[in-house]
Amino acid sequence: MKPLELDVFLCRTDNFGVLVHDPETGLTAAIDAPEEAPILEAATRRGWKISHIFTTHHHTDHVSANLALKEQFGCEIIGPINEAVAIPGLDRTMADGDSFLFGDHTVKVIETPGHTAGHICYHFVDDKLLFAADMWHSLQKLAVLPDETAVYFGHEYTLSNARFALTIDPDNERLKSRAAEVEALRADGKFTIPTTLGLEKETNPFLRAADPAIRRNLIMEGKTNEEVFAEIRKRKDNF
Ligand code: ZN
Ligand code: FE
């Protein structure tokens, strides 16, 4: 199996557009469809025809180009069963645990409600690729995937996330160096996508509720992981 080819580009203000291309079959999937023009630009630049749209959730900034792309390419739109009525042009619904083939590549659907009630992630199992609009709500469920899984998220929020993480986990050396890297990348106008699950486990406080230093910092040593997670969530909402 030839490796998939990816093209990542900015849409709107801070949404990522991603095209996933299978060189063996010529299939090309857009992961969400935030904005028509940059998606067309990327497809044209690569010489790819969009055959699919894989929708993560129904928010406008993820589906607004669905109908325009469908009209132009006749592409098939796949999306979450629990948001089917809210997704323009949807052809095929997916629920938790469903899988389908993209060429010879197996794609497994993982439901991660939180950001929206029906949000799904697309896991390209053999390719160790994961696509999710929102990571914060879903990380615990995704933590069972291999550490080397590359995670493509829907928005460029990494800098703000890293700054927040430092307020929870200020002495974490790996986090400090990652935050510095992210500051430098953003100052250069570069993207921080993708991350890996392994890196998230080392630096993302939502995956570190059991960590003694974080518990000490929050003065929550005797609490359950769920309580610590809820406290981090609350602080993130107010950050
Ligand atoms: Zn959203
Ligand atoms: Fe969004």
Side-chain angles (χ1 to χ4, degrees):
M1 229 178 336
K2 280 191 204 157
L4 297 171
E5 295 168 22
L6 271 68
D7 201 274
V8 180
F9 47 93
L10 198 68
C11 291
R12 306 170 78 100
T13 49
D14 59 26
N15 278 79
F16 284 118
V18 183
L19 295 181
V20 181
H21 179 74
D22 175 22
E24 263 157 354
T25 57
L27 296 175
T28 301
I31 309 297
D32 286 330
E35 188 183 7
E36 184 184 359
I39 296 173
L40 286 180
E41 191 278 323
T44 306
R45 174 167 42 78
R46 292 287 201 141
W48 298 344
K49 283 200 164 45
I50 295 169
S51 55
H52 295 81
I53 298 173
F54 297 167
T55 302
T56 59
H57 69 297
H58 74 272
H59 284 164
T60 313
D61 63 311
H62 297 262
V63 302
S64 61
N66 275 19
L67 294 179
L69 293 176
K70 190 169 184 171
E71 187 165 327
Q72 176 148 354
F73 295 99
C75 51
E76 180 181 39
I77 303 181
I78 293 177
I81 188 159
N82 290 326
E83 301 184 354
V85 291
I87 295 170
L90 188 66
D91 295 298
R92 212 169 143 196
T93 58
M94 291 290 157
D96 193 40
D98 284 349
S99 54
F100 62 94
L101 282 174
F102 178 70
D104 289 332
H105 300 254
T106 300
V107 183
K108 205 168 170 212
V109 169
I110 306 171
E111 238 165 46
T112 50
H115 177 72
T116 62
H119 179 284
I120 58 176
C121 305
Y122 294 91
H123 182 212
F124 287 67
V125 180
D126 314 306
D127 309 276
K128 296 199 170 68
L129 292 170
L130 183 85
F131 298 94
D134 173 80
M135 295 187 50
W136 294 97
H137 291 90
S138 39
L139 277 170
Q140 287 174 318
K141 188 165 181 183
L142 302 174
V144 298
L145 304 180
D147 279 357
E148 61 271 29
T149 304
V151 185
Y152 287 78
F153 39 86
H155 290 267
E156 182 56 74
Y157 293 157
T158 312
L159 181 55
S160 146
N161 289 343
R163 286 175 179 164
F164 168 73
L166 283 170
T167 69
I168 302 293
D169 198 6
D171 300 320
N172 179 338
E173 291 302 327
R174 189 70 193 83
L175 171 59
K176 282 196 254 182
S177 66
R178 185 187 185 195
E181 266 166 51
V182 168
E183 295 271 1
L185 282 171
R186 295 307 294 145
D188 257 6
K190 293 190 179 125
F191 302 153
T192 62
I193 198 171
T195 181
T196 65
L197 279 175
L199 180 57
E200 293 301 315
K201 286 180 196 172
E202 288 181 320
T203 58
N204 185 328
F206 287 103
L207 281 170
R208 300 172 57 76
D211 183 72
I214 288 182
R215 292 165 153 266
R216 220 177 301 122
N217 185 48
L218 298 177
I219 321 175
M220 293 187 79
E221 281 103 328
K223 305 288 186 182
T224 65
N225 286 347
E226 289 68 32
E227 286 169 316
V228 175
F229 183 87
E231 174 63 23
I232 298 172
R233 175 85 247 164
K234 197 173 93 196
R235 291 182 185 221
K236 179 72 166 71
D237 289 341
N238 296 319
F239 182 69

